[in-house]
Amino acid sequence: MPDVLIAGAGPTGLLTAFELERAGVDVLVVERDAEPTTQSKALGLQPRSVEVLADRGLLAAIEPHVQAKLPAGHFSGVPIDYTDLPTCFPYQLGVEQAHVTAAIEARLRTPVLRDAAVTAVTQDDEGVTVTAGGREYRAGWLVAADGGHSTVRTLLGAAFPGSPARISLVVADVTLSAKPAGLAEDWTLPSSGSGYLLPLSGGRYRTIVFGEEQQRLGRDAPVTVEEVQRALTAAHGPGVLVGEVLWASRFGDASRQLEQYRHGRVLFAGDAAHVHLPVGGQGLNLGLQDAVNLGWKLAATVRGTAPEGLLDSYHAERHPIAARVLVSTRAQAVLGIPDPDAAAVRQVFTELLAVPEARRAVAAELSGIGVTYPGITGRADIPVSADGRAVLVGAAVPPGWAGRVEGREGAAPRLVRPDGYIAWNGGPGLEESLHRWVGAPA
Ligand SMILES: Cc1cc2nc3c(=O)[nH]c(=O)nc-3n(C[C@H](O)[C@H](O)[C@H](O)COP(=O)(O)OP(=O)(O)OC[C@H]3O[C@@H](n4cnc5c(N)ncnc54)[C@H](O)[C@@H]3O)c2cc1C
């Protein structure tokens, strides 16, 4: 019996599995799809995600697939310079999501169980019973990382308040038998507006289209070559010819968030916990950071060493972060409305975002570099422990904590949580911080 069952082998589920495994926890990931996806919703990694992946040695396998290092993010298409962010990675990596998931999956000890959709969940005081792919599994805990239409969320009847989608868009990867004149063959920012074309590998182009036709068609209507052609012709003129639609999907601006990330022994993460318009490149990154926050806390809980309240601090820390992203993406959606009033607001916003202080604040938020939690004083510039332990730098490990905390030489004193956040940076309060984040001494 695994300690933790994870529903969904998207980026969130896979990184949660990785974090748990490196902390010595037995994990089983169950995934609905029979094969790993080669399609990518997201095309970008924000700087904080790059930091985390680099720290865990996962970046090297992603790097060969990187198509661009973009020195800026964007707020509804308004470029936000990242170059002065306090990080070794002051840029977005332009890379297809499928390469990120493949790199993480390749490092899991236990293979993902595919063709195994979760269809039933019950829980009691000792654990969870999950039916996946028609078989019953028992585990101590369940992490629901089964995406925006989360089955686990529905099965548990978990409240998911927010607003329904009002706009409808299509994402499509296409081949072109004729390209519009002047089409950029490298990645430029911002990429926005209906019909933008971004070159992917292998002669594919990514486009997102929206307009009256998409608004009229139902969510389940198939996306046809003709529909994409009409939208691209409207954007680029008759010079563009779609060859094939290789992959397409409809999406919208529904904005919802779970009231509680923890339901007994079930913890929600990633899109299963929050959905919003994918603007500003936030969703994948939010899910990866959920995984990194949850992994070490759940591992300590499984091992029986977690201090009281540690697991609940996952909801306490991560819920406000996603709530803020929902505010940001809602605002970005409004700025994108093609109407003169929204255009006026957009103009004012663009001017305000040129003010260095404003730009820096938005850059910190979009990049994830500015994300912090109560009591945290910063992010560590040292690798976190390979087995997911807290690291104490520049101070002797107090008696009783040896083995629970990794002691390291270093100049600046600090206690680094396994997710890389600094919980103590010298002075009084070390024992209190150890009690809060590491637990009682052995
Ligand atoms: C058009 C578009 C563009 C985007 N661009 C960006 C971007 O540039 N940057 C960014 O950060 N984000 C972007 N996003 C958002 C990002 O793709 C998602 O936030 C991200 O995929 C969430 O990861 P996840 O692992 O939480 O969920 P998912 O990626 O949805 O993974 C969930 C997994 O669970 C599986 N599953 C579903 N049901 C079950 C079940 N019952 N049992 C078992 N398994 C199940 C699914 O098959 C899937 O593999 C974009 C999204 C869209 C739609």
Side-chain angles (χ1 to χ4, degrees):
M1 162 173 139
D3 298 315
V4 179
L5 209 105
I6 297 179
T12 307
L14 291 170
L15 192 59
T16 307
F18 179 86
E19 293 291 289
L20 287 163
E21 281 195 346
R22 79 192 186 112
V25 170
D26 285 334
V27 176
L28 180 64
V29 182
V30 292
E31 162 60 43
R32 178 193 59 197
D33 293 350
E35 299 292 333
T37 181
T38 53
Q39 314 302 348
S40 295
K41 291 183 281 186
L43 298 178
L45 286 172
Q46 296 286 358
R48 178 63 188 144
S49 300
V50 182
E51 283 185 346
V52 163
L53 294 168
D55 185 84
R56 282 143 181 82
L58 292 165
L59 191 59
I62 297 170
E63 265 170 341
H65 305 286
V66 168
Q67 289 191 248
K69 279 187 183 175
L70 301 164
H74 71 94
F75 189 88
S76 192
V78 180
I80 304 291
D81 183 24
Y82 277 177
T83 50
D84 60 355
L85 280 171
T87 168
C88 299
F89 308 98
Y91 43 76
Q92 267 195 89
L93 286 186
V95 61
E96 296 181 42
Q97 177 171 329
H99 295 302
V100 177
T101 44
I104 306 171
E105 186 170 348
R107 293 277 300 279
L108 294 186
R109 279 198 298 276
T110 312
V112 171
L113 190 68
R114 296 191 172 275
D115 211 356
V118 170
T119 50
V121 176
T122 56
Q123 57 174 319
D124 52 52
D125 288 348
E126 272 83 49
V128 292
T129 305
V130 174
T131 307
R135 281 190 54 191
E136 213 169 77
Y137 298 87
R138 182 87 183 145
W141 300 85
L142 172 65
V143 175
D146 53 343
H149 299 285
S150 172
T151 306
V152 178
R153 203 176 59 217
T154 307
L155 290 169
L156 264 59
F160 197 46
S163 50
R166 281 165 304 179
I167 54 172
S168 180
L169 306 90
V170 163
V171 55
D173 290 349
V174 300
T175 58
L176 296 177
S177 27
K179 295 179 199 169
L183 177 63
E185 287 296 339
D186 57 356
W187 286 28
T188 49
L189 267 178
S191 307
S192 60
S194 177
Y196 81 78
L197 285 163
L198 200 65
L200 304 177
S201 59
R204 296 166 303 140
Y205 290 82
R206 161 66 52 93
T207 187
I208 290 186
V209 304
F210 47 94
E212 270 173 37
E213 183 172 2
Q214 287 67 43
Q215 212 48 25
R216 203 176 56 244
L217 290 168
R219 187 67 191 256
D220 297 326
V223 178
T224 61
V225 173
E226 292 73 26
E227 180 187 351
V228 178
Q229 178 67 62
R230 277 189 291 276
L232 291 186
T233 304
H236 301 277
V240 62
L241 272 184
V242 177
E244 264 185 280
V245 173
L246 304 166
W247 169 71
S249 173
R250 293 184 196 278
F251 66 99
D253 65 338
S255 206
R256 297 183 179 279
Q257 187 179 19
L258 275 179
E259 274 174 354
Q260 290 299 326
Y261 283 13
R262 179 176 175 188
H263 287 245
R265 289 179 165 267
V266 181
L267 293 127
F268 289 87
D271 279 14
H274 37 71
V275 293
H276 54 81
L277 183 70
V279 59
Q282 300 292 284
L284 160 67
N285 294 274
L286 205 48
L288 294 178
Q289 301 306 325
D290 283 351
V292 166
N293 189 285
L294 175 60
W296 65 280
K297 295 173 179 176
L298 186 52
T301 306
V302 167
R303 284 196 304 260
T305 60
E308 199 176 329
L310 184 71
L311 191 56
D312 287 328
S313 75
Y314 165 62
H315 168 89
E317 291 188 339
R318 293 301 300 168
H319 190 278
I321 304 296
R324 176 65 195 170
V325 169
L326 262 60
V327 169
S328 168
T329 49
R330 278 190 157 116
Q332 293 185 65
V334 171
L335 291 192
I337 296 172
D339 111 355
D341 289 343
V345 180
R346 186 184 181 81
Q347 184 188 330
V348 172
F349 240 87
T350 308
E351 288 159 12
L352 286 174
L353 287 173
V355 176
E357 276 302 294
R359 193 266 306 158
R360 267 197 288 275
V362 175
E365 198 170 290
L366 290 175
S367 64
I369 294 297
V371 165
T372 187
Y373 308 118
I376 292 301
T377 60
R379 297 170 349 276
D381 53 0
I382 53 152
V384 297
S385 154
D387 60 4
R389 267 180 298 170
V391 178
L392 182 58
V393 186
V397 175
W401 262 289
R404 307 279 309 280
V405 183
E406 187 184 309
R408 285 217 203 136
E409 300 283 313
R414 53 215 192 275
L415 177 68
V416 181
R417 302 194 323 187
D419 56 2
Y421 287 95
I422 300 173
W424 168 85
N425 62 354
L430 173 58
E431 294 264 341
E432 191 191 327
S433 196
L434 283 166
H435 272 289
R436 180 165 176 204
W437 300 115
V438 181

